[in-house]
Amino acid sequence: MKLFLNTLLFFFILIFFENSAYSLSDYQIKKICQKKPNRSNCIKNLKFKKLNLLQGNKIEIPVIPFKK
Protein backbone atom coordinates (compact mmCIF):
# COMPACT_ATOMS: atom_id res chain seq x y z
CA MET A 1 0.00 0.00 0.00
CA LYS A 2 2.85 2.38 0.85
CA LEU A 3 4.52 1.63 -2.49
CA PHE A 4 1.30 2.43 -4.32
CA LEU A 5 0.93 5.76 -2.50
CA ASN A 6 4.56 6.69 -3.23
CA THR A 7 4.20 5.97 -6.94
CA LEU A 8 0.89 7.83 -7.05
CA LEU A 9 2.50 10.86 -5.37
CA PHE A 10 5.45 10.66 -7.75
CA PHE A 11 3.22 10.73 -10.83
CA PHE A 12 1.10 13.50 -9.31
CA ILE A 13 4.19 15.67 -8.92
CA LEU A 14 5.38 14.90 -12.45
CA ILE A 15 2.05 15.81 -14.00
CA PHE A 16 1.45 19.11 -12.21
CA PHE A 17 4.98 20.49 -11.97
CA GLU A 18 6.36 19.35 -15.31
CA ASN A 19 6.21 22.62 -17.23
CA SER A 20 6.59 25.11 -14.42
CA ALA A 21 9.83 27.04 -14.85
CA TYR A 22 10.32 30.34 -13.11
CA SER A 23 12.61 32.83 -14.76
CA LEU A 24 13.77 36.26 -13.69
CA SER A 25 11.98 39.38 -14.85
CA ASP A 26 13.89 42.08 -16.72
CA TYR A 27 13.82 44.29 -13.61
CA GLN A 28 15.37 41.50 -11.50
CA ILE A 29 18.05 40.91 -14.13
CA LYS A 30 18.99 44.61 -14.14
CA LYS A 31 19.02 44.69 -10.34
CA ILE A 32 21.34 41.66 -10.14
CA CYS A 33 23.73 43.04 -12.76
CA GLN A 34 23.79 46.56 -11.31
CA LYS A 35 26.92 45.98 -9.20
CA LYS A 36 28.83 43.84 -11.73
CA PRO A 37 31.79 45.41 -13.56
CA ASN A 38 30.67 44.02 -16.95
CA ARG A 39 27.03 45.05 -16.67
CA SER A 40 26.14 44.63 -20.35
CA ASN A 41 27.67 41.13 -20.52
CA CYS A 42 25.85 40.12 -17.34
CA ILE A 43 22.49 41.31 -18.69
CA LYS A 44 23.09 39.60 -22.04
CA ASN A 45 24.05 36.29 -20.39
CA LEU A 46 21.08 36.29 -17.99
CA LYS A 47 18.62 37.14 -20.78
CA PHE A 48 20.10 34.34 -22.91
CA LYS A 49 19.68 31.88 -20.02
CA LYS A 50 16.12 33.13 -19.46
CA LEU A 51 15.29 32.55 -23.13
CA ASN A 52 16.76 29.04 -23.01
CA LEU A 53 14.82 28.24 -19.84
CA LEU A 54 11.54 29.44 -21.34
CA GLN A 55 12.17 27.37 -24.49
CA GLY A 56 12.67 24.27 -22.36
CA ASN A 57 16.42 23.88 -22.78
CA LYS A 58 18.63 22.93 -19.87
CA ILE A 59 20.78 25.63 -18.30
CA GLU A 60 23.66 25.44 -15.85
CA ILE A 61 23.08 27.01 -12.46
CA PRO A 62 26.22 27.62 -10.38
CA VAL A 63 25.99 26.63 -6.74
CA ILE A 64 27.78 28.91 -4.30
CA PRO A 65 28.56 27.25 -0.96
CA PHE A 66 27.30 28.99 2.16
CA LYS A 67 30.00 30.43 4.45
CA LYS A 68 29.27 31.24 8.07
Side-chain angles (χ1 to χ4, degrees):
M1 186 68 181
K2 188 174 183 180
L3 179 63
F4 174 72
L5 290 175
N6 285 340
T7 55
L8 185 64
L9 181 64
F10 177 73
F11 285 117
F12 175 75
I13 291 171
L14 281 179
I15 291 170
F16 288 106
F17 297 110
E18 178 182 359
N19 291 328
S20 61
Y22 301 105
S23 60
L24 297 173
S25 68
D26 290 335
Y27 175 75
Q28 290 172 328
I29 289 174
K30 288 178 184 176
K31 189 174 178 182
I32 290 171
C33 294
Q34 188 175 11
K35 297 179 184 176
K36 304 279 182 169
N38 297 331
R39 185 175 181 217
S40 62
N41 286 339
C42 177
I43 291 173
K44 185 169 44 169
N45 288 337
L46 286 178
K47 285 190 177 187
F48 181 72
K49 288 181 181 181
K50 175 184 175 180
L51 179 66
N52 282 339
L53 183 65
L54 291 175
Q55 289 178 348
N57 299 332
K58 294 182 180 178
I59 61 170
E60 292 184 21
I61 300 172
V63 178
I64 302 170
F66 177 73
K67 295 181 182 178
K68 288 186 176 183

